[in-house]
Amino acid sequence: MVEPRKRLDREQRRTQLLDIGAQLFADRSYEDVWIEEVAEIAGVSRGLMYHYFPTKRDFFAAIVERESQHLLEVTAPDATLPVREQVAAGLDAYFAYVKSHSRGVRAINVGTLSAEAGIRAIVERELEQQQIRILDALEFEGERRQIAAVAVRGWIAFVRAVCLDWLDQPSIPQEELRVICLRTLSGALGIDLET
C-alpha cells in the first residue's frame, strides 16, 4: 500500500524510510527487497531515496546500525540487580527481540551481507558493548578480566548461534533456553550464575 506523499523534515523522512526497510528486510531476503519498492511505499521518488542512502547496501547498513542501537537499548542492564539477574534479563530481552525480528536476525547473521566488512563492523561494535556490560557487572580486574573477556565473547557467539537454531525449533521453551545459556556462561567463567 502506497502512503500519500507527506511533507516531512529530513530526520522524519529518514526514519520513515528506515522503518519501511526494516519491515521489508524482516519479511524478505536482502536480494528480494528493492529500493524502488521502498520509495513507492514511502510515496517518494527513487532519487530522494538515493539522496538519503546512496546504495542499497548503505540503506541496509543504516537499518542494521539502528537495530543494533535498539538492541543495546532493550538489553541495557539494571546495575542495581545481581549479576545473574542482569544477565537473565538481558537474555530475555534478546530472546524477545530475536522472536519479533526473526528474518532480520537471520539476515544479519547468515544472510549474503553478513560477511560484508561494514555490516560485520556494526555487529562487532554491538557485541563488544554487550561484552563490556557483562565484564563490568562481574567486576573482574586485571588478568581475571582478560580471561573472562575471552569467555564472555565466546559465550555471546554461543547465544547468537543458539538463538538462530531456536528460530528453526521454536518449540523449545524460552525458559529452557535461558537455563542453557546461563549454565554455559557459568561454566565458561567458573562461577555460579544459575541460582
Side-chain angles (χ1 to χ4, degrees), residues 74-107:
V74 300
T75 60
D78 177 350
T80 64
L81 297 175
V83 174
R84 185 226 178 267
E85 291 178 34
Q86 288 183 47
V87 174
L91 281 169
D92 286 340
Y94 184 67
F95 297 155
Y97 179 87
V98 166
K99 259 193 203 172
S100 64
H101 296 81
S102 61
R103 299 236 5 176
V105 167
R106 285 183 206 273

Side-chain angles (χ1 to χ4, degrees), residues 7 129 172:
R7 192 89 180 137
Q129 288 183 32
I172 298 170

Side-chain angles (χ1 to χ4, degrees), residues 5 16 25 33 36 41 44 48 64 71 73 75 92 94 98 104-105 127 130-131 135-136 146 159 173:
R5 187 174 173 104
Q16 177 201 33
F25 284 117
V33 174
E36 294 80 7
I41 292 169
V44 299
L48 182 65
V64 171
L71 186 54
E73 289 167 16
T75 60
D92 286 340
Y94 184 67
V98 166
V105 167
L127 296 178
Q130 298 287 15
Q131 177 188 31
L135 292 170
D136 288 349
Q146 291 175 338
V159 170

Side-chain angles (χ1 to χ4, degrees), residues 41-60:
I41 292 169
V44 299
S45 70
R46 189 173 68 189
L48 182 65
M49 184 73 193
Y50 284 115
H51 172 75
Y52 284 93
F53 308 100
T55 67
K56 181 177 168 181
R57 185 246 163 249
D58 292 329
F59 182 52
F60 185 72

